[in-house]
Amino acid sequence: MIELPIALADLWFGIVLAFLAAFLFLDGFDFGVGAIFALRTDATEREQLLAAIGPFWDGNEVWLVVFGGGLFAAFPPVYAGLFSRHYLLLFGVLGALILRGLAPEFYEQREDERWHRWWGRAFVAGSVGAPFLLGVFTANWVLGVSGIAPASVVVGLAVVALTVVSGAAFLGVKTRGSFREETTAYGPRAAVAYLALVVVALALAAPRLAFGPTTLFLVALSVALAGGYVLALRRGRYHLALATAGGLTAGLVALVGAWLYPLADPATGLTVADAAVGSPSIELLTGASVLLLPLVATYFVMLYSVFRGPIEPGETY
Amino acid sequence: MPIRPEHIHDGPNSDPRRPPRRGTDDEPAPGGGDVIDPALASRLQFALTTIVHIIFPVMSMGLAPFLVYFTWKEVRTGEALYVRLRRFWTKIFAISFAVGTVTGLVLEFEFGTNFAAFSETVGALMGGPLAVEGMMAFMLEATFLGVFVFGRERVSDRFYFVSSVFVGLGTWLSAVWILIANSWMQTPRGFEMVTENGHPVVALTDPIAAYANPRFPWMFVHMQNAAVLSVALFMAGVAAYHIYRRRHLGVVDSGNYDAEFWRATLKVALVVLIVTAPFQVIHGDAYGRHVAETQPQKFAAMEAVWETDSYVPEYLIAFPTSVEDLTDPRAKELFGIGIPGGASWLASGGDASAEITGLNEFEESPPVAVVFWSFRAMVALGFWFVVLAFWSAYRWYSGELYDDRLLHKALMVSALAGVFTVELGWIVTEVGRQPWVIQGVMKTTAGVSPGLTGTDAALTLGGFAAVYLGLLTVYTYVIARIVRRGPKPPESDAESGRETSTIDPAPEVTDD
């Protein structure tokens, strides 16, 4: 039949995981800001937290759209199998993302306290629920299980901790003064929690996972990056802290890739090579991405440089 | 009683003389203990989630050209009026866009969760357009929206204007890719069926044939014009509401009534209405002909023609005289006013004697009543919009645009009619293609996720019904509130705006 371009299949496996990593990092700090929102009660502070993510969250969330689209386009049987097996879990993710997306939009529409309280809760529930459930989903994917496995729940919590790690560093960039001191203080604690949860998850999942040089290296790298993160935060190098948080996220997704490969879906035993779409679909997809992804990168550089630096007084959501 | 094709459910090998029964033959019966047939629940859920979702892209795609225009005028003239126009309508755009993002993500996930078999079959052909939509359109739109909504003070005028263009371009490019995927499902070509990993799979053989689909330009033009028309109606309705309250009811309570703003809104909206409403009717007529050629089954359902016939009349107005007419319309038996040969003329492009293939020629039919009545209502509303356009144009010409009470009322009641008509159009398009999900290639029931249980499906269906009801309520409430309060007054601070709203006694929404 059609001769499968193996190299392109592997490339797309990497690209799809990179989309996932981009989402978990970029929207991750939005989620982290949402978690920190729960810990702050002052109305002005909460307003600042919403203003910090205002221009970014929508663009950041598109990485999940391209992750879904990329998986659908490059590995249709994996997309179909994975999404239908984790039916309720994914609707949970969607529900959380609906809450997170709408809450700030609606929060701003009225001034009264009850309205703010409820949309504030919705914002927190969405911001914490989405990464938790996505973590459970990703762990289930790697382990080839469905339902709610203990190891997956721990991974879910680890992803939530990771979003707080990113969120605290992001607020280090976006806020100033005592508010910055207080919000960035959540970062080191979250980093420790993240490492501890990862260790617990690995212990729980150990019977199902094989440890090789790559995976051990990635775990060691994560520990080193977490250390670097704490140091950077302590020294007030917030951009560097944000970058190490990004490294931590990339490391986690790289672990996912290392454990999956050469399988694309351990539950069905489908390999990356077998699951990939044939020619010419995959070539067209690759061509389109080669043209578009540099543009996408430009948009993000543009967006983040327009809104670089701290939130200015008077800037609201 | 003659056997009607819509009673046959189960594919080619079912005997047309057998009494209709669900869940027989090749279609697996719903599981014994299941609360609901997962296929039915998935279809209802997809219908519900698309019907709700499409409202928001219509709002954002339709508002986009207006926002580009307001921004252009603001940047060029620096007039405060355009700042107010741009700000006010951007607020509605931003909320609609946020809701559109989250409800759109639901659809992308649902292909996998509920229609896994369909996804696996079409992934090689339809996955690409969806992925490219994300990278090309959505990324552009979402990033520049950040600048457009939050960055007025941070960027130059020129950059700001470019942002408005890119946001608009993004929303329209999104439609390009979604409609490329959808049009292929209406008139599929450029592929062959192969078996992969034990499943029937569509393999792309000719990308140009598949993606440059004959249906695409029809859908795109019809949809984009509909979106702009719908938003023009919405803006005109909102403006008419404010002008009517002030001029005819003499309400002066809202201290921030902005005559200049609402008059400008009304005029801009009417100019667009006058262009788009007649165009939609003319274009729709030609589009109908294309459907008759490429999807005769759908066209027969739109016209409720059962027996193949020539000189088929077009019923401009059809009255159901019994419940049966309503639920099972047959053009020949309806009491209506028809143009002799009109449907034939429509289908053939000018030949009143042309033959129309009846539904009896096909093994299965779509739910004819839904398609027939939705089509009638869509066309009737389309003509109503033309009437509104000419009426407004005449009043404008005669200098009575702000005086015609009846016109203002008509515009007000039509404010949401455009969006409603878009829904009707999509119902004709999608329900009219049933039982096929890909015309002539794959049945909708065959596309459902094989492992899906009725309990899970019922749970999410119920969840969506509740969540989307809440979502629509809050969205309507928030938009109605913004519309009622109007723009921020030209020379006053936020404080006074707040004050007026609490004493605003508008009846439909109460603040607490």
Side-chain angles (χ1 to χ4, degrees):
Chain A
M1 205 190 50
I2 301 162
E3 197 191 326
L4 216 58
I6 301 297
L8 283 186
D10 288 347
L11 175 70
W12 271 94
F13 184 66
I15 291 177
V16 166
L17 286 177
F19 288 161
L20 181 64
F23 172 72
L24 281 179
F25 173 56
L26 294 173
D27 219 13
F29 55 67
D30 302 331
F31 293 142
V33 169
I36 291 169
F37 186 95
L39 307 168
R40 315 301 301 182
T41 45
D42 181 71
T44 341
E45 286 184 3
R46 289 190 149 196
E47 201 69 51
Q48 272 190 288
L49 292 174
L50 292 182
I53 64 163
F56 305 117
W57 78 264
D58 220 325
N60 293 343
E61 192 171 297
V62 181
W63 290 100
L64 184 64
V65 178
V66 295
F67 165 71
L71 195 62
F72 185 13
F75 304 101
V78 179
Y79 165 79
L82 210 52
F83 276 46
S84 58
R85 279 203 312 278
H86 297 103
Y87 188 81
L88 292 180
L89 198 56
L90 283 168
F91 282 105
V93 172
L94 289 173
L97 287 174
I98 289 175
L99 283 182
R100 193 286 304 259
L102 301 186
E105 213 63 69
F106 290 150
Y107 185 93
E108 295 298 320
Q109 298 304 323
R110 291 185 56 137
E111 301 293 327
D112 65 286
E113 204 181 305
R114 223 171 55 139
W115 180 266
H116 276 187
R117 194 163 59 237
W118 280 100
W119 285 114
R121 280 177 189 160
F123 178 58
V124 171
S127 300
V128 176
F132 173 72
L133 294 172
L134 267 169
V136 175
F137 166 78
T138 312
N140 278 359
W141 178 12
V142 174
L143 299 173
V145 297
S146 350
I148 307 213
S152 303
V153 173
V154 178
V155 173
L157 294 172
V159 174
V160 173
L162 184 58
T163 64
V164 178
V165 169
S166 306
F170 178 69
L171 288 173
V173 175
K174 297 302 289 181
T175 59
R176 289 295 179 265
S178 64
F179 187 44
R180 170 155 76 180
E181 308 274 293
E182 287 168 38
T183 49
T184 50
Y186 299 116
R189 281 180 260 167
V192 171
Y194 170 68
L195 286 182
L197 287 165
V198 168
V199 169
V200 174
L202 291 181
L204 284 171
R208 287 177 162 272
L209 297 174
F211 287 87
T214 320
T215 48
L216 287 174
F217 166 76
L218 286 170
V219 173
L221 182 72
S222 294
V223 176
L225 280 170
Y229 168 83
V230 174
L231 279 180
L233 219 49
R234 291 259 158 84
R235 296 193 179 161
R237 310 267 315 263
Y238 299 109
H239 282 101
L240 183 64
L242 194 55
T244 50
L248 272 177
T249 313
L252 182 67
V253 177
L255 268 176
V256 167
W259 267 313
L260 283 173
Y261 194 82
L263 297 183
D265 187 2
T268 57
L270 261 182
T271 62
V272 169
D274 286 339
V277 285
S279 192
S281 299
I282 199 158
E283 284 86 358
L284 284 172
L285 193 60
T286 311
S289 311
V290 165
L291 291 175
L292 292 170
L293 287 175
L295 279 177
V296 170
T298 320
Y299 305 155
F300 275 82
V301 170
M302 175 285 300
L303 181 66
Y304 283 86
S305 40
V306 165
F307 295 96
R308 71 182 164 274
I311 319 151
E312 279 163 17
E315 277 187 327
T316 55
Y317 187 85
Chain B
M1 185 190 130
I3 299 296
R4 295 175 177 182
E6 88 273 24
H7 292 148
I8 307 164
H9 286 284
D10 305 312
N13 46 8
S14 65
D15 177 354
R17 263 162 292 276
R18 192 141 25 102
R21 198 185 306 134
R22 233 192 120 62
T24 50
D25 296 347
D26 50 352
E27 187 186 327
D34 263 354
V35 261
I36 189 170
D37 173 12
L40 177 66
S42 296
R43 296 174 74 169
L44 288 175
Q45 181 174 308
F46 202 84
L48 170 72
T49 48
T50 37
I51 281 174
V52 173
H53 171 68
I54 193 65
I55 296 169
F56 310 106
V58 165
M59 290 299 286
S60 53
M61 293 188 303
L63 270 169
F66 289 97
L67 291 180
V68 170
Y69 171 72
F70 294 149
T71 311
W72 169 250
K73 293 293 277 186
E74 174 186 334
V75 167
R76 292 292 295 200
T77 67
E79 276 176 40
L81 170 66
Y82 291 106
V83 179
R84 279 172 2 246
L85 282 166
R86 190 261 305 160
R87 274 213 193 121
F88 181 82
W89 292 106
T90 298
K91 205 187 285 180
I92 290 176
F93 181 92
I95 295 172
S96 307
F97 185 83
V99 184
T101 305
V102 293
T103 54
L105 189 62
V106 169
L107 299 183
E108 192 197 43
F109 276 37
E110 271 176 342
F111 289 128
T113 51
N114 293 72
F115 295 95
F118 166 77
S119 303
E120 197 165 345
T121 299
V122 300
L125 204 139
M126 274 182 56
L130 293 185
V132 172
E133 186 226 357
M135 288 187 276
M136 183 192 266
F138 221 174
M139 287 289 191
L140 183 71
E141 184 178 3
T143 48
F144 281 93
L145 185 72
V147 179
F148 188 64
V149 173
F150 297 94
R152 185 67 185 96
E153 308 304 321
R154 284 182 180 250
V155 297
S156 68
D157 278 1
R158 182 190 295 246
F159 190 5
Y160 192 72
F161 172 70
V162 170
S163 301
S164 76
V165 174
F166 280 173
V167 170
L169 186 66
T171 63
W172 282 51
L173 279 173
S174 229
V176 168
W177 291 101
I178 292 301
L179 292 178
I180 281 177
N182 188 284
S183 62
W184 181 81
M185 290 161 70
Q186 313 287 341
T187 50
R189 48 177 218 177
F191 70 99
E192 62 178 9
M193 296 302 288
V194 296
T195 303
E196 229 171 69
N197 306 317
H199 295 278
V201 165
V202 165
L204 185 60
T205 52
D206 183 350
I208 294 172
Y211 296 140
N213 201 275
R215 174 62 57 85
F216 170 73
W218 291 108
M219 281 190 139
F220 184 72
V221 172
H222 208 61
M223 178 65 197
Q224 299 314 99
N225 194 62
V228 177
L229 168 59
S230 301
V231 167
L233 284 163
F234 179 68
M235 291 172 77
V238 166
Y241 163 79
H242 280 277
I243 295 168
Y244 179 83
R245 264 167 61 91
R246 184 66 162 211
R247 284 180 72 94
H248 303 305
L249 303 183
V251 182
V252 283
D253 59 354
S254 53
N256 54 2
Y257 174 72
D258 185 339
E260 189 193 19
F261 179 90
W262 291 117
R263 288 177 174 199
T265 299
L266 183 63
K267 284 188 170 173
V268 170
L270 289 182
V271 168
V272 174
L273 179 69
I274 290 162
V275 175
T276 52
F279 176 73
Q280 190 73 350
V281 168
I282 296 164
H283 180 264
D285 166 61
Y287 183 3
R289 212 169 303 145
H290 169 77
V291 171
E293 275 164 25
T294 52
Q295 284 179 302
Q297 190 180 4
K298 184 189 278 182
F299 189 81
M302 281 152 63
E303 299 290 348
V305 174
W306 290 88
E307 287 94 29
T308 300
D309 215 343
S310 39
Y311 284 110
V312 180
E314 173 70 30
Y315 289 93
L316 292 181
I317 300 169
F319 294 105
T321 51
S322 65
V323 178
E324 165 103 307
D325 280 349
L326 207 58
T327 58
D328 181 15
R330 304 162 158 254
K332 282 203 150 175
E333 294 161 18
L334 283 173
F335 175 75
I337 305 169
I339 304 173
S344 292
W345 191 86
L346 244 175
S348 60
D351 177 10
S353 66
E355 189 176 271
I356 290 185
T357 315
L359 286 162
N360 287 337
E361 310 276 326
F362 303 95
E363 265 162 11
E364 292 174 71
S365 302
V368 177
V370 177
V371 180
F372 178 80
W373 292 114
S374 299
F375 180 65
R376 297 256 124 14
M378 176 189 76
V379 171
L381 283 164
F383 277 109
W384 165 240
F385 301 152
V386 175
V387 170
L388 268 183
F390 285 131
W391 183 1
S392 314
Y394 172 69
R395 284 300 182 210
W396 192 343
Y397 173 76
S398 65
E400 298 160 304
L401 186 56
Y402 306 124
D403 305 318
D404 188 343
R405 282 179 84 117
L406 197 59
L407 174 64
H408 294 173
K409 281 187 184 166
L411 287 172
M412 273 188 263
V413 297
S414 308
L416 299 177
V419 178
F420 179 68
T421 311
V422 171
E423 301 279 9
L424 293 172
W426 274 108
I427 287 170
V428 173
T429 306
E430 296 300 287
V431 178
R433 192 188 54 229
Q434 302 304 323
W436 303 102
V437 64
I438 306 163
Q439 181 74 53
V441 176
M442 185 183 206
K443 294 238 172 101
T444 311
T445 44
V448 178
S449 302
L452 183 60
T453 65
T455 319
D456 280 3
L459 211 59
T460 56
L461 175 62
F464 270 113
V467 169
Y468 275 24
L469 188 69
L471 185 133
L472 276 180
T473 310
V474 178
Y475 175 80
T476 313
Y477 166 73
V478 165
I479 297 293
R481 196 160 181 276
I482 293 173
V483 158
R484 214 158 30 76
R485 299 174 110 192
K488 257 193 204 157
E491 283 121 338
S492 88
D493 49 4
E495 254 49 51
S496 67
R498 198 153 88 202
E499 224 167 79
T500 51
S501 84
T502 48
I503 54 157
D504 191 339
E508 65 274 84
V509 190
T510 47
D511 295 348
D512 44 29

